[in-house]
Amino acid sequence: MNIARLKPWILCGCVALAAATLPSCGSSESFGSSGAGFNTDSTGGTDGNDGADATDGAGADAGDGEPPPPEDEQAATLPGPAAGDSHVFIASGRLDAVVRIDGASLDLDLLEVGLDPTSIAAFGSGDDLGVVVTNTGSEDISIISKAETDAEPTISTFDAGAAVNRLAVAPDSSSAVAWYAPTAGEPIDIGSLQEVRVVRLEAGKLAVFTVGVGFRPLSVSFDDESAYVVTERGVSVIDVGSLKGDAFAPPVPVSPDPLESALDREVLVARGTTAIVRRPAADEVRLIDLTSQEATLVPTSSPPTDIDLSPDETEVVAVLRATSEVVRFGLDTPDQVTVLDMGELPAGQATMTPDGRYAVLYTSVQSKEIPDPEGGPPTILGPRNEWLVLLDMDAGTQRVVALEKGVKAVEASADGKRAVVLHDRWTETKVTTSASQLTADIDRAYGFSVVDIASGYAKLELTTVSPLGVLLTPGGERGFVLLPNPEPSGENALIDIDLGSFAIRSIRLGSPPVHAVLVGDRLAISQDHPSGRVTFLTLGTGKTETVTGFQLNGLIR
């Protein structure tokens, strides 16, 4: 990090942010029959202006009628198969079955479901733990009851009417929602782009209903007895508790312009009552009441590049990269806005720690290095993104953490004490000395850093391949990073991080890892292997055991 590019006031370890509290910033409008379309809001100007009023002191992002380049917002968490207290469940499209593996004995068996099972999730707990799986090939959904305790559990399969390949389970395990998400290169006519399947998971009341929603479901969240389906056209609210058959749920609009592209738009649902909306070219955060459809507008000095919610869903944080600001306001008090000046560190994203104490601020946008035609030092457009800002949400103070590589994604531990940062690569470093050669080698490598949030201490670990993601234990004691090597002869590994001592251990794997999930006191790492392979790591002893060949054995059987 080139310290010379930072303002002097931001170099100290922990300082108060420059802040201004702006009363009465909210304005309201309605999305009733007369409110739809290209409205002019009460803040003045046309709703959805292109940031023309942004300040001039923030570089290329601000002004000129152009929205800022979007942040590359990536999830750092690892995907995983379904798991209970003692078993791991893996959907096998090759076997048209769910592979159930006992995490203690490593015994396995096959639970036959529909054709080409894809998404899988566990619901319930203890003796009542079950598994729900979408079967894309046979266009149905299977529910496995008492999946851990019964030697031959009951498997109920329901017609879905069309392919579904995504799943979300309600926190109380009473229901799930399945939908179809097309991927590049796949035919789009095998699943519906405007339907979801609501799966009732209560014992004795198993059922699947088809509900029409807005175009192209993107994500699903739950609150009490309702499901909230974010689509490109708005938020469809489904009253799951009262659903008795197939139905449709028209989306609540989230933009005053019904023709607006959903590209880079961000929608969060809070408390089941409010949609929080970030639109890429609008100098505002928009709060939509999902019952009345009334909109409250919170003006900002430039288009937000990220919005986030505190874990208790009481406070909204909006990050404005173009004007180097962070905007905070209570969900119940949007007229009381605090603006935090980030100086010359143009944060574009925020990750809240699970305890709500800190917001970790960063940007995934790299600077550009322009060579000097006369051989002089290159011109740097924008700052290198080799830093984090740790914003204390209670005290309103911040700590700048210098990193050795650019930030791609951040995951914070459940106790809010540690964070793991996945890094991107930088290949444009100019080499002029031995010192700059070392810098170039570090920039061109992959890697991750472990950060102590209280002190700002960061430890870098370089890797030869790009980390797939991060899995942190619920108690915050351990972290795991998967390193799949794309080369057939390359080395694959699991990185085991002690989040107390920051000790890092590499465990070699026989095949590229693709998923990881905790099963009791073990970590199960499923791998890309033609015959099927899962490695189990015992957390207390560090011992590893591997099961290989369940795909082949299943075919022989």
Side-chain angles (χ1 to χ4, degrees), residues 469-487:
V470 180
L471 175 67
L472 304 179
T473 57
E477 305 92 352
R478 303 277 281 279
F480 303 95
V481 176
L482 299 189
L483 299 178
N485 197 314
E487 299 298 328

Side-chain angles (χ1 to χ4, degrees), residues 412-415 471-480 497 499 518 523 539:
S413 61
D415 57 10
L471 175 67
L472 304 179
T473 57
E477 305 92 352
R478 303 277 281 279
F480 303 95
I497 308 167
L499 293 177
L518 290 167
L523 179 74
L539 301 185

Side-chain angles (χ1 to χ4, degrees), residues 401-425:
V401 177
L403 302 172
E404 308 303 327
K405 292 179 63 61
V407 180
K408 182 166 66 174
V410 176
E411 181 71 10
S413 61
D415 57 10
K417 295 180 179 180
R418 306 285 191 266
V420 177
V421 181
L422 300 184
H423 293 303
D424 57 18
R425 301 174 73 196

